[in-house]
Amino acid sequence: MARNPRVKCPVCKDTYAGVPTRRTGMVSVHDHKRTPRALVLCEGSMVHVPISDAIGWQDELPEPGAESAAPMVELTLF
């Protein structure tokens, strides 16, 4: 049975399972609570973090239809 990689939570620094994401080389920290019986999740739950032994990482792609803030360059042909 395949196991999820173990990663450190960026907030509480404990080690938890990394849940696969759609980004290459990245996982999200599994949901975990601040204290064992609390109802409030840690702020680091479901944050995307890089896998330590990954060869490469993929940046998050923009949503389809989102307008870019950079102006387009106009070409003039002579």
Side-chain angles (χ1 to χ4, degrees):
M1 183 169 161
R3 294 183 53 173
N4 291 341
R6 307 291 288 175
V7 292
K8 287 192 180 246
C9 174
V11 176
C12 64
K13 306 298 183 205
D14 287 335
T15 304
Y16 295 97
V19 180
T21 63
R22 293 184 293 173
R23 297 169 61 188
T24 303
M26 302 289 282
V27 293
S28 59
V29 179
H30 190 270
D31 283 341
H32 59 280
K33 300 174 184 173
R34 292 181 191 176
T35 57
R37 294 188 181 175
L39 296 176
V40 180
L41 293 175
C42 175
E43 290 86 8
S45 292
M46 301 309 291
V47 172
H48 291 198
V49 295
I51 301 172
S52 61
D53 59 347
I55 297 171
W57 296 271
Q58 175 185 358
D59 291 333
E60 192 168 359
L61 299 174
E63 293 293 325
E67 298 294 326
S68 64
M72 293 179 44
V73 176
E74 292 183 21
L75 297 176
T76 305
L77 300 175
F78 293 99

